């Protein structure tokens, strides 16, 4: 085992900006689908009401409207859960901190225009925090630090209830006293800046946002702008996504042109895999990472097409009325709709024609792997199996955090022996004190979590023998942990072992083996960038 190697500064380390972006994207990723789905539902109800098919006073409309509004109204609750989990804290405590801003008593006071409450002599400014983003982000960063501190100083046997109690006593007042007002001002300020720029020159703002949106998305920076759009929607329509919407349509146009033009079967399949989700759901990762990043000519095309489409939308004042991901199905969420159609249509047609007529390949047109790695910090990689046993899909696991892929994509294995080996060459970044789990960052950037059993953290290290420590360098095949399978089962716990990529959001795809059983060192997961 190569535990004695020294850490290199460049190895397995991200910049602070990359870490922040990873937290933001990882926090929104679990709920972005339901945000978009709920937005589409609200847009559909608006259309049905407009054409007279469903009255906004009917019971059906009210019930379906509640389904569409819930995720937005309780957004601090859901973000509290996902941010806390991303930061390694208790997600349910994070959810309660977010929910505390929205309790009926607080909302009743806000609705009745009560401005302040007294908290032991300190004035608490009351505000409607539904649909807000920034206050809960600030609160969760502080909570994660407090949670780590409390776990170090509080006796383990009483941590289960004392740590949450202290966290709530400290964080809920702090959030209402400080983090809420600061976060609200921050969100409103940034939103006002963008609104001011679009108001001064919608054409220029639209062109800049449209042209840059593809590359903001590729680098993960779009996650810092999406919250601004959500904040805008809390008080009215949003112009940001309306201007940025030209980019995904330009990307789809490029994808269709490449599909029609290329003789390469693999590239044709890749383009096809990106066209349908891009057009119908606004998810264009396959096109962005598989085509636009690989062929420099298409970068120029997407800039031109999206800039023109964004300029059109910005100049005529197109806005988004409900949060959606720009796609064919979400068109009713934007107004004025005909002008919006002209803007996104121009982006689509220009992207398609430039690619089809001028081609996507050229001399030295492909971007080298070093450029891709520089952007993502990861490379394509094969993750080997850390043990032998029966393969089980994550979706059937009796743990909602893993089954819903909130932690990340991966696979589960029913082990046949009590030994866990390293699936990669890399560094042990997390060694759980209880010995039931270990986290490794591979040399190519994959963050692999291996979790032995379900709820086995409650065994407090009994029956687990770690063979590595945090910071150790390991080679693929090195022994990491031994565990006593029979004893763990006798205590009433499952030994199903989970292998999860916790930085899933940095990959185009995480594909699990289709084999029913695996041996230690067999291919288990294929990571694509």
């Amino acid at each position: 085992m190569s535990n004695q190697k020294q850490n290199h500064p460049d190895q397995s380390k991200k910049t602070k900006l990359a870490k922040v972006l990873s937290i933001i994207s990882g926090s929104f990723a679990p709920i972005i689908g339901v945000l978009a789905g709920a937005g589409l539902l609200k847009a559909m109800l608006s259309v049905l009401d407009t054409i007279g098919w469903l009255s906004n006073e009917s019971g059906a409309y009210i019930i379906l409207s509640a389904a569409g509004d819930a995720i937005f109204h309780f957004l601090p609750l859901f973000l509290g859960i996902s941010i806390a989990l991303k930061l390694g804290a208790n997600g349910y405590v994070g959810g309660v901190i977010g929910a505390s801003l929205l309790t009926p008593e607080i909302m009743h006071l806000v609705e009745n225009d009560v401005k302040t409450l007294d908290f032991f002599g300190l004035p608490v400014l009351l505000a409607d925090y539904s649909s807000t983003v920034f206050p809960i982000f600030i609160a969760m960063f502080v909570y994660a630090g407090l949670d780590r501190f409390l776990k170090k100083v509080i006796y383990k046997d009483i941590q289960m209830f004392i740590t949450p109690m202290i966290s709530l006593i400290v964080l809920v007042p702090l959030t209402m006293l400080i983090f809420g007002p600061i976060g609200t001002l921050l969100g409103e300020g940034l939103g006002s800046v963008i609104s001011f720029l679009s108001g001064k020159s919608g054409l220029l703002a639209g062109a800049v946002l449209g042209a840059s949106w593809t590359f903001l998305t590729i680098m993960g920076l779009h996650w810092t702008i999406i919250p601004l759009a959500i904040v805008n929607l809390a008080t009215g329509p949003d112009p940001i996504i309306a201007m940025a919407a030209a980019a995904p349509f330009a990307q789809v146009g490029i994808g269709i042109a490449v599909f029609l033009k290329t003789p390469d079967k693999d590239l044709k399949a890749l383009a096809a895999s990106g066209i349908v989700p891009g057009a119908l759901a606004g998810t264009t990762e396959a096109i962005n990472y598989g085509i636009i990043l690989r062929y420099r000519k298409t970068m120029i095309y997407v800039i031109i097409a999206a800039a023109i489409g964004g300029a059109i939308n910005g100049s005529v004042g197109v806005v988004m009325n409900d949060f959606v991901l720009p796609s064919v199905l979400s068109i009713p969420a934007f107004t004025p709709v005909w002008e919006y159609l002209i803007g996104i249509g121009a982006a689509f047609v220009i992207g398609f024609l430039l690619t089809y007529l001028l081609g996507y390949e050229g001399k030295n047109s492909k971007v080298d792997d070093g450029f891709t790695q520089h952007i993502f910090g990861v490379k394509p990689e094969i993750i080997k199996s850390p043990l032998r046993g029966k393969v089980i899909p994550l979706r059937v696991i009796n743990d909602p955090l893993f089954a819903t892929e909130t932690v990340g994509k991966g696979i589960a294995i029913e082990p046949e022996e009590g030994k866990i080996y390293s699936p990669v060459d890399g560094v042990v970044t997390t060694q759980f004190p209880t010995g039931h789990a270990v986290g490794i960052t591979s040399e190519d950037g994959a963050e692999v979590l291996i979790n032995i059993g379900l709820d086995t953290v409650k065994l407090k290290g009994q029956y687990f023998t770690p063979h590595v420590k945090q910071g150790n360098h390991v080679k693929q095949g090195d022994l990491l942990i031994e565990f006593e399978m029979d004893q763990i089962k006798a205590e009433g716990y499952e030994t199903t072992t989970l292998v999860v990529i916790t930085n899933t959001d940095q990959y185009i795809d995480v594909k699990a083996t289709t084999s029913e059983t695996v041996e230690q060192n067999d291919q288990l997961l294929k990571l694509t960038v």
Side-chain angles (χ1 to χ4, degrees):
M1 190 180 297
S2 50
N3 293 345
Q4 304 304 316
K5 291 183 181 179
Q6 297 296 314
N7 286 342
H8 295 288
D10 297 334
Q11 194 171 26
S12 310
K13 291 186 178 181
K14 299 179 181 179
T15 65
K16 290 183 179 180
L17 175 60
K19 289 181 178 180
V20 171
L21 292 175
S22 177
I23 291 168
I24 294 173
S25 63
S27 301
F28 270 98
I31 63 173
I32 196 69
V34 70
L35 280 170
L40 280 174
L41 173 57
K42 293 176 69 176
M44 180 187 74
L45 289 174
S46 177
V47 171
L48 292 177
D49 180 46
T50 300
I51 62 179
W53 286 10
L54 188 65
S55 169
N56 60 16
E57 298 179 354
S58 68
Y61 185 97
I62 292 171
I63 292 172
L64 291 174
S65 182
D69 289 335
I71 182 67
F72 298 98
H73 180 80
F74 295 105
L75 189 59
L77 186 159
F78 293 103
L79 279 176
I81 295 172
S82 62
I83 299 167
L85 288 172
K86 185 67 179 177
L87 292 170
N90 188 318
Y92 299 103
V93 173
V96 170
I97 293 170
S100 68
L101 304 173
L102 307 169
T103 56
E105 293 84 356
I106 297 294
M107 294 303 295
H108 177 74
L109 293 172
V110 172
E111 290 167 2
N112 284 277
D113 207 29
V114 176
K115 301 297 184 184
T116 61
L117 276 181
D118 178 82
F119 182 75
F120 296 115
L122 297 173
V124 177
L125 298 176
L126 295 180
D128 183 356
Y129 290 110
S130 60
S131 302
T132 58
V133 172
F134 294 101
I136 196 65
F137 262 102
I138 299 171
M140 287 305 98
F141 273 92
V142 176
Y143 163 57
L146 176 63
D147 183 66
R148 286 192 293 270
F149 171 76
L150 292 176
K151 287 177 179 177
K152 291 179 181 179
V153 300
I154 294 176
Y155 185 60
K156 288 186 178 180
D157 287 348
I158 62 173
Q159 280 184 8
M160 183 179 73
F161 57 91
I162 293 296
T163 299
M165 182 188 75
I166 295 175
S167 297
L168 293 175
I169 290 174
V170 173
L171 264 300
V172 171
L174 276 179
T175 300
M176 293 189 181
L177 279 165
I178 301 173
F179 307 147
I182 290 176
T184 300
L185 288 173
L186 176 64
E188 290 177 351
L190 292 173
S192 297
V193 169
I194 294 178
S195 297
F196 173 78
L197 292 175
S198 61
K200 287 293 183 181
S201 177
L203 187 147
L204 178 60
V208 171
L209 194 57
S212 60
W213 190 257
T214 297
F215 305 97
L216 291 174
T217 302
I218 286 172
M219 292 183 288
L221 292 171
H222 67 305
W223 292 106
T224 62
I225 297 177
I226 286 176
L228 300 180
I230 296 174
V231 169
N232 285 340
L233 288 171
T235 56
D238 166 64
I240 300 173
I241 303 300
M243 292 184 285
F249 282 94
Q251 294 156 17
V252 171
I254 290 171
I256 292 175
V258 170
F259 174 80
L260 295 175
K261 198 173 182 67
T262 182
D264 187 311
K265 291 182 180 180
D266 290 337
L267 183 56
K268 190 180 288 289
L270 174 65
S273 70
I275 292 168
V276 174
L280 300 183
T283 53
T284 55
E285 283 83 356
I287 295 172
N288 283 340
Y289 303 147
I291 296 174
I292 293 174
L293 262 185
R294 293 182 180 179
Y295 300 98
R296 290 195 177 100
K297 291 179 72 174
T298 62
M299 291 184 183
I300 299 172
Y301 302 158
V302 78
I303 290 172
I304 295 172
I308 292 173
I312 293 172
N313 287 345
S315 63
V316 297
V318 175
V319 294
M320 178 177 70
N321 298 300
D322 299 299
F323 181 81
V324 291
L325 297 177
S327 69
V328 172
L329 296 179
S330 66
I331 288 173
F334 296 86
T335 53
V337 69
W338 289 110
E339 286 82 347
Y340 175 68
L341 284 171
I342 293 173
I344 61 175
F348 171 82
V349 171
I350 293 169
F352 173 83
L353 289 177
L354 287 174
T355 307
Y356 192 81
L357 296 177
L358 302 180
Y360 58 91
E361 287 187 292
K363 187 177 181 181
N364 299 322
S365 64
K366 288 189 178 182
V367 178
D368 59 62
D369 290 338
F371 177 71
T372 305
Q373 184 189 7
H374 176 71
I375 291 177
F376 304 114
V378 296
K379 291 181 179 179
E381 188 169 1
I382 300 297
I383 306 298
K384 300 297 183 66
S385 178
L387 72 167
R388 60 186 175 91
K390 180 183 177 182
V391 175
I392 304 172
L394 278 187
R395 65 177 180 274
V396 303
I397 296 301
N398 189 27
D399 186 315
L401 293 180
F402 287 101
T404 58
E405 299 183 342
T406 299
V407 180
K409 292 184 178 181
I411 199 72
I413 302 172
E414 191 62 48
E416 294 181 2
E417 65 173 349
K419 293 182 179 181
I420 299 293
Y421 299 91
S422 178
V424 295
D425 295 344
V427 177
V428 178
T429 46
T430 306
Q431 176 60 64
F432 289 74
T434 51
H436 78 290
V438 62
I440 302 174
T441 300
S442 77
E443 292 180 351
D444 289 332
E447 297 175 6
V448 187
L449 172 66
I450 304 171
N451 190 97
I452 306 168
L454 303 180
D455 290 329
T456 48
V457 65
K458 295 177 181 178
L459 291 172
K460 299 177 183 177
Q462 193 175 13
Y463 312 126
F464 295 95
T465 305
H467 288 272
V468 292
K469 296 179 180 179
Q470 188 165 316
N472 286 165
H473 285 254
V474 292
K475 288 291 186 181
Q476 191 273 316
D478 284 349
L479 181 63
L480 301 177
I481 302 172
E482 289 186 275
F483 59 101
E484 300 175 48
M485 290 175 54
D486 294 338
Q487 295 292 340
I488 293 171
K489 290 179 180 178
E491 294 279 357
Y493 295 93
E494 298 179 40
T495 57
T496 304
T497 298
L498 311 167
V499 184
V500 176
I501 307 303
T502 57
N503 60 335
T504 291
D505 54 289
Q506 296 178 11
Y507 295 90
I508 294 176
D509 193 20
V510 176
K511 191 170 185 178
T513 179
T514 56
S515 300
E516 294 183 358
T517 61
V518 289
E519 296 291 327
Q520 187 266 321
N521 201 37
D522 283 352
Q523 178 175 322
L524 189 68
L525 300 170
K526 182 179 181 180
L527 313 184
T528 306
V529 298

